[in-house]
Amino acid sequence: MRRSIRFIFRGMPREISAFDPSITLLEWLRLEASATGTKEGCNEGDCGACTVVLAKTDGDRIRYFPVNACILLLGQIDGAELLTIEDLAKDGTLHPVQAAMVRHHGSQCGFCTPGIVMSLFAAFHEAPRPPDREAIGTALAGNLCRCTGYRPIFDAAFDVLSDLPEDRFSESNASRLEALRALEDDRGIVIGNEDRFFASPRHLDELAEMIARHPDATILAGSTDVGLWVTKKLAPLKRVIALGRVAALATVVEGSDSVFLGAGVTLAKALPVLERIDPDLGTLMRRFGSAQVRASGTVGGNIANGSPIGDLAPALIALGATLHLRIGKESRILPLEDFFVAYGKQDRAPGEFVTGITVPRPEAETHFRCFKISKRMDEDISSVMGAFRISIENGAVSGARIAFGGMAATPRRALRTEEALVGAMLANPHDWMGAVQALEADYQPISDMRASARYRARVARALLGKALTEIAGSSRATRIVARTPIGEVRHG
Ligand SMILES: Cc1cc2nc3c(=O)[nH]c(=O)nc-3n(C[C@H](O)[C@H](O)[C@H](O)COP(=O)(O)OP(=O)(O)OC[C@H]3O[C@@H](n4cnc5c(N)ncnc54)[C@H](O)[C@@H]3O)c2cc1C
Ligand code: FES
Ligand code: FES
């Protein structure tokens, strides 16, 4: 057992053996490391002012992940190199990203600038070359600039991302890789005592045993929900068990009939895998939070939080996914829709945790569509999210699985609508009407700050019509941005 976390900071190994389990990375940076270049804006993962980069090993490569330091807990950076705005310039020479921002007048208030530069620094190492507008928008969607500075920021991004990703970090790749590897070990981490601790087990059995022994501890995956309990609800976490170092939970298995995603697989890693199941899942995932949220947030966290407006659950329910759970040495599998019992209540016993999810690929003659409706295109939670898996035989619907988020207290299937749709002729929209009307019997949505009940009901009907119109092969325009052709993967 290791009693400290270890990471690289300012080019040197750093070891910390005592910290509060709920201290955020941003608090540590600004208050303890006096690294005040990283700013605090919203403190809830939205504005990107606090963006820093975690460099991690990936085989022979170093990968660069932008993360929101405000909601990431300090204990989660074990094993990484932490790069902040202060790391970029060296001996009076700006990093190419910084120089491009200066050249194009991309910095005005300067408060959002460190975060924007760090997002672009991650993109400098990760984004495809040559860049296109979409890739740059994807890289910057988690960084707000409120003084209308986006055009010069985009200009700076286009300019610097047209260069090859060569900087002093790529030049020192080999030595930094070696330093990161030297941090790796096989030991679990516990900081604190039985009453108050941050634990980060290394193996699945160790994790299962620890969660069973401390059923009241907070299970921590990417912290993109849990972090907000700390910063917004001011709820100090007494006992934290982090999943991030358990390799078995980060597994992805892509089979010919189905895909298995470990609970700890990040949303960023899941994106291309899900996109290979269906292009609409790629479009959905690209609008999931921001690059920062996707780099930390996990598939398991998005399911386990039981949110009625989580984006993955409706899509995966419609695809017929099954959830894998474990308590102690016992494992079980259940249909994903059965996991969501009621608002805030899931079929998960104390001491039990999610280990992964199996997602079947749609069979031949089965079509999938999913649509996220939110007030903003980027980084916004859904008002309504609809997902449709429709099988067709001889021009008629032979089977349907339909699920919505934002329409009930849990993500839920539209069972009456599914039944009413079977037998409907795809080519005859009048035949669909019974199903469209059945949506009213399936859902009685509520009004809240995101949308009114009336709006939600109308949108749900429209989404079903849109899915059927597209599947029927109609030439009517249904989207602003065309569906990506199957098999073509866009930028993460
Ligand atoms: C700025 C911002 C934008 C966001 N945008 C979106 C969005 O577009 N769509 C969307 O759906 N969500 C969004 N979210 C919510 C959040 O990012 C997702 O729900 C994310 O998938 C949560 O995963 P996580 O790994 O960060 O979970 P955590 O925050 O670590 O945990 C979430 C909950 O799940 C529990 N948990 C985590 N893993 C397990 C496990 N394996 N077994 C049992 N319990 C577990 C935790 O105890 C906690 O209760 C957003 C959040 C932020 C801050
Ligand atoms: S301070 Fe706004 S995202 Fe962290
Ligand atoms: S430059 Fe900071 S808000 Fe625009």
Side-chain angles (χ1 to χ4, degrees), residues 152-187:
I153 295 167
F154 259 68
D155 289 347
F158 265 112
D159 187 349
V160 72
L161 296 185
S162 299
D163 285 343
L164 288 174
E166 283 162 10
D167 59 5
R168 65 188 185 83
F169 295 90
S170 55
E171 280 159 18
S172 58
N173 193 64
S175 59
R176 291 174 46 247
L177 202 53
E178 204 176 307
L180 282 170
R181 287 198 178 128
L183 299 179
E184 288 168 14
D185 70 7
D186 210 31
R187 292 177 289 171

Side-chain angles (χ1 to χ4, degrees), residues 187-198:
R187 292 177 289 171
I189 297 172
V190 178
I191 316 278
N193 54 40
E194 283 285 299
D195 261 359
R196 200 175 179 82
F197 63 77
F198 183 96

Side-chain angles (χ1 to χ4, degrees), residues 26 39-51 68-71 142:
L26 186 62
K39 306 299 181 207
E40 176 182 317
C42 63
N43 223 8
E44 60 180 68
D46 268 314
C47 75
C50 65
T51 304
N68 295 123
C70 65
I71 50 174

